[in-house]
Amino acid sequence: MRDITLGQYINGDSPIHRLDPRVRLILTLVYIIILFSFKSILQMILALVFILIAYAIVKIPLKMLLKSLKPIIPIVLFTSILNMFFISGDVVFSFWKISVTKQGLYYAALMSLRVICLLAGSSLLTYTSTPIELTGALESLFKPLTKLGFPVNDLAMMMTIALRFIPTLLEETDKIMAAQKSRGANLDTGKLFERIKALTPILIPLFVSAFRRADELALAMECRCYNGGEGRTRLNELRLKRSDLKATLVFCLFCVLLVLAGKI
Amino acid sequence: MREYIDFYEEGIVSSLIKFDNVSFSYGKNSVLQDIDLSVEKGEFLAVLGYNGSGKSTMAKLINGILVPSSGKVYVDGMDTSDEKNLSEIRKKAGMVFQNPDNQIVATIVEEDVAFAPENLGLDPKEIRTRVDDAIKAVGLEKHIKDAPHKLSGGQKQRVAIAGVLAMRPMCIILDEPTAMLDPKGRSLVMNVINRLNRENGITVVLITHFMEEAVLADRIIVLANGKIAMEGTPRTIFSEKDKVTSLGLEVPPVTELAIKLSENGIKVSKDIIRPEELIEAITALKEDIH
Ligand SMILES: Nc1ncnc2c1ncn2[C@@H]1O[C@H](COP(=O)(O)OP(=O)(O)O)[C@@H](O)[C@H]1O
Ligand SMILES: [Mg+2]
């Protein structure tokens, strides 16, 4: 059987893994906001150091981080170069009609650092949280909206079911593909249009089966006393622990440090 | 469980499930006609019948997924056609379906088992006790944190049973629970069902097309043409091979073998329904010869 992992979750038992997923989510969001509201290189370097320390705690090899940074390198380079050339100020050197300014270089470095931190920060969240943890965190955080008639519970249930059935449906797709191939279907070669056409005999059984599953699942849920999310309690209720408070405190210290760094 | 039955004989406690002159049709397609049936507390009832004889329909009538076109179904004295009773009825009569993949809701075993108690709005501590008890009852303690899609078919079906047990039902209705399982998964699931009935006193209604599973029941009913065509203990049912065959079923493989043996002059009884009985009979013959 194919082992499907959703997202990039890395199984582990680091202090960051053990944090309440809500804390992880909120701290990541605040971190991203900070990245965009501070404007000095020193602050960005501090932010980078901070996130690297976090990676060290989770024991994620730096190689992995670099690998996930790879796809954005062209974007970073492109925006840096644009910034370098088009910001006016004290000219450092110039050739032909283009001049590179001190301000331009500074801004380019700032932007690159910012994007790298942004990616490293959000990856850390997905490395340490399963999709289901994130669903639970969102459900809990948005709970107050239930009072305004926003169907938070239903949406969370939909997310959970989607996550539950993705592996099942992928497995089924494999089976149907194998079945059609064994009947002589050619799925791997041919022109684009032919290949799309060849997908029809896979998609149709897949859809039929998905609808039947949905029907049976709804029935089974009804039999297990499900009638909308109202009045539902949870087995594992999210509860803040002492370690969550400690982590938040450390994060606050980091914020203070950043503000101080901006004053230098 | 014994006590309940004594009470019943004295007319104090009524049947757990009662079909009172029930008919059901999907539009014009009449599936069940004038069914009368009582299932007592602690009983193990097997329901047999050819494909399309209305077994699943009957199961869905019990917990109010379907309501009779005419007549009444009662669960522990509550009328299934009364909307107000439904959640109480579903709590008392849990249902397990054929395809384990389509009845597991959550991405972790323990969270799936917790689904029903969560819906009932129970306290997290109470949910924890129920989940642990239910998982222990089906013998999946080692898999409590696993992802359901990584379990075998038999294990998934036991998760589904645990999910129903967590409601603390009086009765479980199983609609061909072993149809999609391999022989090993099947026998493990049947062990669990049997144990829940014999040791925990849970009433079981088992729909199956495996005769060797039906043999484990206290009583069998056979559905055909919208009616209960046969009713009785496994032994009385399977001793009427011709009638059973005419209703589109077979006798258990052991019974088949016993009949063949006796037709060929080996003196074993024709109403043997369990492998152990045949072994005993043959051993007895061997001792006669010596
Ligand atoms: N949802 C439905 N709508 C219409 N007809 C149905 C539906 N479900 C079952 N039937 C019909 O009812 C009859 C009995 O079905 P069912 O109770 O599933 O039988 P069994 O479980 O014994 O195979 C069949 O003829 C079937 O075609
Ligand atoms: Mg059926």
Side-chain angles (χ1 to χ4, degrees), chain B residues 26 29 31 50-58 176:
Chain B
Y26 290 102
N29 177 11
V31 179
Y50 54 81
N51 272 337
S53 58
K55 304 182 297 294
S56 299
T57 306
M58 188 169 201
E176 306 199 16

Side-chain angles (χ1 to χ4, degrees), chain A residues 168-181:
Chain A
T168 311
L169 290 178
L170 282 177
E171 205 180 303
E172 184 145 36
T173 315
D174 266 359
K175 268 191 212 153
I176 296 173
M177 276 170 81
Q180 302 293 30
K181 272 187 195 161

Side-chain angles (χ1 to χ4, degrees), chain B residues 49-145:
Chain B
Y50 54 81
N51 272 337
S53 58
K55 304 182 297 294
S56 299
T57 306
M58 188 169 201
K60 288 175 192 159
L61 282 166
I62 298 176
N63 72 348
I65 295 295
L66 299 173
V67 286
S69 313
S70 73
K72 293 274 184 207
V73 177
Y74 299 95
V75 174
D76 202 27
M78 291 177 292
D79 182 351
T80 60
S81 58
D82 188 346
E83 194 94 9
K84 286 198 296 288
N85 291 335
L86 279 186
S87 92
E88 198 60 27
I89 286 175
R90 292 195 181 143
K91 216 158 57 177
K92 285 202 166 134
M95 186 99 112
V96 176
F97 296 95
Q98 186 181 94
N99 189 341
D101 268 328
N102 297 353
Q103 47 190 327
I104 293 176
V105 186
T107 49
I108 299 169
V109 168
E110 67 167 8
E111 285 189 5
D112 185 73
V113 176
F115 183 67
E118 286 179 343
N119 290 335
L120 297 172
L122 298 175
D123 185 71
K125 266 199 208 113
E126 169 71 11
I127 300 180
R128 173 50 68 193
T129 337
R130 286 184 176 211
V131 167
D132 289 346
D133 287 353
I135 287 180
K136 206 165 143 218
V138 298
L140 286 178
E141 295 95 324
K142 282 200 196 110
H143 299 282
I144 193 159
K145 297 275 183 200

